[in-house]
Amino acid sequence: MEQRSLGSTGPKISAFGLGTMGMSAFYGPTDRAESIATLHQALDAGITLLDTGDFYGMGHNELLIAEALKERRRADVTLSVKFGAQRDPAGGWIGFDGRPAAVKTTLAYSLVRLNTDHIDIYRPARLDPNVPIEETVGAIAELVKAGYVRHIGLSEVGSETIRRAAKVHPICDLQIEYSLISRGIEDDILSTCRELGIAVTAYGVLSRGLISGHWTKETRTGKGDFRGMSPRFQAGNIDRNLALVEALRQVADRLGVSVAQVAIAWVASRGADIFPLIGARKRDQLTESLGALDVKLSDADLTAIEKAVPKGAAAGGRYAEAQLAHLDSEKVTR
């Protein structure tokens, strides 16, 4: 798989990364053996970037990755870890903690769970509204100097926060949702990142399965599945969103590929500084997603895709309003 630098200051990584959240939480029941097999398949296929969060399954995801990496060379893997999200014993969200002491404590626990002496990219999962980003990034910078962290990333923050953080320490990438139906970063954030030499690791490239081509109105979510509460999957929105998928399917059929492959290839086509994170939980999902590497979209293809799924055409927000209110990336810069 093609390898390229993650921003102007980051490590060289694979063109696609693997997002591992669904292997531990948020999408219903998981299969440990299948998850580890999928991780192995990703590594064998040339994926070097594994993205996790210390709050994915309350540490479960980091332990899972550590198990999968037992027989692998640590130098062949780039571990990206998000921290700061606070959850109660029932799994409820209770805020974000970006205080310097918390930054160092959470890093210490992640090092143990991942069975490693360093994290390649460490990033706050969200902006803590009570702690200046300079203090949070400054604490990570101290960990970089001490050798526990190699690079600093950000997640779901807006242009003003990105600029302030970059003044404290070089930022290699911004992790943020980016897909055919989630294109908010194109308004301002993407240009800021490019100005500063910051790459984008794009999650939600299939909008949590909504635009994978496999979701239908009859698909049911189980207990603990985020999509059961996601606005875009709700009655009143799902019909309109699936109509977009069917329009996209016509483009995919003409190209002889799957809907998922077209959707992922579109994200990858946005620039060499965009790195799609594939959120596969199973080997067959990963195999399909990796097929997007071979999909080369012409200008005519891109025009057809834009016509099928125009910017802003999705019904419903990517999160509920209460959650969007806490996303710094959703704030309009005045």
Side-chain angles (χ1 to χ4, degrees):
M1 189 182 300
E2 177 190 359
Q3 305 274 315
R4 56 181 187 261
S5 295
L6 187 67
S8 60
T9 64
K12 185 164 284 190
I13 65 166
S14 52
F16 286 8
L18 181 67
T20 63
M21 181 183 77
M23 296 179 179
S24 297
F26 304 114
Y27 295 140
T30 60
D31 183 324
R32 187 177 190 84
E34 181 63 22
S35 294
I36 290 177
T38 303
L39 283 161
H40 285 164
Q41 179 177 320
L43 296 170
D44 291 341
I47 287 179
T48 61
L49 177 68
L50 300 182
D51 181 77
T52 184
D54 60 12
F55 52 94
Y56 292 171
M58 310 307 289
H60 174 277
N61 202 245
E62 291 178 315
L63 293 169
L64 182 76
I65 290 173
E67 182 175 344
L69 295 182
K70 279 182 180 179
E71 306 302 323
R72 303 281 177 160
R73 285 201 328 141
R74 175 66 179 85
D76 293 337
V77 181
T78 300
L79 291 176
S80 167
V81 179
K82 292 183 290 297
F83 71 89
Q86 304 295 289
R87 303 178 68 186
D88 62 27
W93 299 97
I94 53 177
F96 300 94
D97 194 344
R99 294 172 301 164
V103 171
K104 297 175 181 179
T105 299
T106 55
L107 185 279
Y109 280 102
S110 285
L111 291 174
V112 172
R113 286 190 292 259
L114 286 164
N115 191 31
T116 185
D117 62 357
H118 72 280
I119 302 299
D120 297 290
I121 309 168
Y122 204 48
R123 71 182 81 244
R126 299 288 187 270
L127 178 68
D128 182 342
N130 300 311
V131 178
I133 190 63
E134 290 86 352
E135 293 185 15
T136 301
V137 171
I140 308 176
E142 292 178 11
L143 295 169
V144 172
K145 187 175 182 180
Y148 296 116
V149 173
R150 296 288 189 266
H151 304 277
I152 301 178
L154 296 171
S155 177
E156 287 288 358
V157 292
S159 289
E160 180 184 352
T161 301
I162 294 169
R163 292 183 185 282
R164 288 169 55 193
K167 289 180 179 179
V168 177
H169 189 278
I171 304 298
C172 67
D173 73 315
L174 170 70
Q175 188 173 122
I176 194 165
E177 186 168 358
Y178 190 31
S179 73
L180 272 168
I181 63 171
S182 294
R183 297 174 59 176
I185 69 168
E186 294 176 353
D187 296 337
D188 174 60
I189 293 173
L190 183 55
S191 61
T192 298
C193 287
R194 286 176 167 163
E195 175 190 336
L196 299 175
I198 297 171
V200 169
T201 42
Y203 76 87
V205 291
L206 295 178
S207 299
R208 299 168 179 82
L210 179 58
I211 60 172
S212 67
H214 303 299
W215 196 273
T216 70
K217 281 186 66 175
E218 288 69 42
T219 304
R220 294 291 176 262
T221 56
K223 183 180 180 181
D225 193 322
F226 163 83
R227 293 168 293 195
M229 299 175 290
S230 174
R232 289 179 174 170
F233 289 84
Q234 304 307 304
N237 292 333
I238 189 66
D239 288 340
R240 178 174 164 184
N241 292 330
L242 288 180
L244 297 174
V245 176
E246 290 310 304
L248 186 62
R249 194 185 304 277
Q250 294 183 31
V251 179
D253 288 346
R254 180 175 58 79
L255 294 173
V257 299
S258 73
V259 175
Q261 289 166 346
V262 168
I264 297 169
W266 180 87
V267 175
S269 76
R270 299 298 84 198
D273 54 350
I274 308 291
F275 294 78
L277 290 175
I278 306 304
R281 301 197 296 164
K282 301 177 182 179
R283 284 169 286 180
D284 59 342
Q285 295 173 332
L286 178 62
T287 297
E288 180 183 18
S289 294
L290 288 176
L293 289 165
D294 298 321
V295 179
K296 306 304 178 185
L297 300 173
S298 67
D299 289 344
D301 296 331
L302 293 170
T303 298
I305 292 170
E306 188 75 30
K307 183 178 179 180
V309 188
K311 183 177 180 179
R318 58 193 184 101
Y319 292 100
E321 286 300 321
Q323 292 173 289
L324 285 175
H326 295 290
L327 289 181
D328 183 66
S329 55
E330 290 290 326
K331 295 178 181 177
V332 178
T333 302
R334 303 296 182 186

